[in-house]
Amino acid sequence: MSRERLQALREELARQQVQGFLVPRGDEYQNEYVPAADERLAWLTGFTGSAGMAAVGAEHAALFVDGRYTLQAQQQLGDQPIDLETLDPNAIADWLCEQLKRGQALGYDPRLHTEPGLALLEKRLGERDIALRPLEQNPIDAVWTDRPASPCGAARPHPHTFTGEHSAQKRQRIAALLADRRADALWLPNPEVCAWLFNIRGEDVPHLPVALASALLYRDGTATLYLAKEAVGEALIEHLNSEVDIVNNQEALFDAAKRHHVSRIWVDPRIANCWTLQRLRAQEIELLADRDPITAAKACKNAVELAGSRAAHERDGAALCEFLAELPDAVAAGAPDNGFGELEAVQLLRDKREQREGFRDDSFDAISGYGPNGAIVHYRVSRESSLPMRAEGIYLIDSGGQYPDGTTDVTRTVPLGEFPEHARDHFTRVLKGHIGIATLRFPKGTCGEQIDAFARKSLWDAGLDYAHGTGHGVGSFLSVHEGPQRIGKAASGVALQPGMILSNEPGFYLTGQYGIRIENLVFVKESERHSGFMEFEELTLAPIDRRLIKRELLTEQEKSWLNRYHQRVRETLMPLVNEKTQAWLEENTQAI
């Protein structure tokens, strides 16, 4: 199929008079998860990971992915005529410089890229006299004959009981920043910042409870909000009142800027697409290019949001524990005909979550990896790839739920029977790293990159490591992967502040054998013992499997943390689970 699609795409590129084309994994809002209509990378290559880029030339094509997706991409590409390369701006530039000649042009869809994202490529191609040309029509859309329609579901008010702050209060708070920066308006380029500012949610994007939207916020706290006509109902109009003007096409946002005599707009080029910036410049509007203030504001959860997250994690933890308690019997019942595999495990966990109050959706496609599939960091199980599970080996389940009061994300590694002895060493080193972050106390102003090594030290001691970040930000009934906070090797320059929710998820992956990851969500709070210091508090509630622990590797302090954590898990969840799971909880939270 890919050969025919590549040929059709190349014919369209020739018609548009370009000799190459970039295919990102994203939409015009730079969403991590995208509607089916925007799955262009998957349509062309078959790769379904959440990050990647394809480049197509006249004779060759390449897919660029990072270390999380190398094994998955190899499987999904198969024998297609597409090279697999490392996702790196220089690597993409090198490949394109080899494929394109002087005087030729590389086409791109300006709605799907940001200017910073293209800056290095533009420089490198320019040095070779290769033009980077924006195209009016995406050539994939021209040849994707059965492309799904863009979603336009209803946008609904998100109650104050969950947000803890009214939209009008948020708008005034952010508008005060505009006055300080002498900006007439702030450009809101994506559904997440709109969802937070206007206290609205929707169902337009898989796993991300938002309505597709963009907006302008003015210095007086009023705003113009773009939503599809079908998304707007009476409840939403009443919720936003006369201070927010709703328009039904994106062009109306630019018209609104004229009507409000906007001459200087604050816009974040890292999250606003090239097309938007080109349109604003064409209207001779001065751009204040700076980090979007809403992204930082929504990262720091207020007391109501944190209380909601605690409650959501209790219900979610109960669902996860009922799943883990039933898993061994389900695996055994599937033998010897292997009727229970990775895909059936995902459905069993989904069933458990659906029984919990408020459950809306998975927060991402669950990573359900048995044995060698667990070693694929961001493996996505399918009917074709699903391995039957047996009462042996190691199983990794990374999943989460969306609830109106919170978003969850949790990973547990489970032995299903006998497993290699060296797995104990690997698991315990991962656990030591997890505890290293969980128990860390750090001074105010500390960034995530400054604490990442605490998660990796025990692995490094053994000459081991993992090729993903240690922690990502998490939203409040929003994205499970939220910025700007993170914990990882790469510099973020973002200090960890009270109210920020992050994951704590060191791991280790032995190709062809198993994957190990232990993930809890935590939030940042001021230290109760030392003024001027910060620390973490656990949100996730689920036992960490003691059968995989090499106890002599743990210090007394680490054992004490694990025992306290398990005691809290047992006391909190025992009233929320069925009788079978109560017995399982009692057994699996015993002190070591």
Side-chain angles (χ1 to χ4, degrees), residues 118-295:
L118 291 177
L120 175 64
L121 183 59
E122 185 173 27
K123 177 178 181 296
R124 291 282 307 279
L125 293 179
E127 293 170 350
R128 299 287 295 269
D129 193 27
I130 300 169
L132 189 60
R133 183 177 301 167
L135 303 179
E136 291 187 11
Q137 181 186 27
N138 190 303
I140 286 184
D141 297 352
V143 298
W144 187 355
T145 54
D146 58 348
R147 182 181 173 222
S150 296
C152 51
R156 58 181 182 273
H158 193 45
H160 179 257
T161 51
F162 296 132
T163 67
E165 186 178 13
H166 292 291
S167 173
Q169 294 172 304
K170 292 180 178 180
R171 285 186 274 113
Q172 289 297 332
R173 178 152 65 96
I174 301 300
L177 302 176
L178 298 180
D180 292 341
R181 303 298 301 274
R182 295 184 295 107
D184 300 312
L186 171 70
W187 187 271
L188 282 68
N190 65 51
E192 285 188 62
V193 292
C194 291
W196 181 87
L197 186 68
F198 299 107
N199 287 346
I200 58 175
R201 298 294 190 270
E203 298 175 352
D204 283 349
V205 180
H207 311 313
L208 181 62
V210 298
L212 295 180
S214 50
L216 277 171
L217 172 69
Y218 308 108
R219 286 177 65 169
D220 62 358
T222 62
T224 302
L225 170 64
Y226 155 70
L227 286 167
K229 183 178 181 180
E230 297 85 348
V232 181
E234 290 300 322
L236 185 71
I237 294 173
E238 182 179 349
H239 167 68
L240 295 174
N241 66 51
S242 60
E243 293 183 346
V244 179
D245 181 31
I246 303 175
V247 297
N248 301 134
N249 65 76
Q250 290 179 312
E251 293 291 337
L253 284 178
F254 300 103
D255 295 338
K258 291 180 181 178
R259 290 198 313 273
H260 286 81
H261 307 292
V262 170
S263 61
R264 192 170 195 243
I265 287 183
W266 183 344
V267 60
D268 188 339
R270 293 168 303 179
I271 59 175
N273 63 44
C274 296
W275 179 82
T276 296
L277 301 186
Q278 292 164 3
R279 289 296 310 276
L280 292 173
R281 292 191 185 105
Q283 293 188 347
E284 298 184 349
I285 293 176
E286 181 185 357
L287 303 184
L288 170 61
D290 202 354
R291 187 185 293 271
D292 167 61
I294 294 178
T295 299

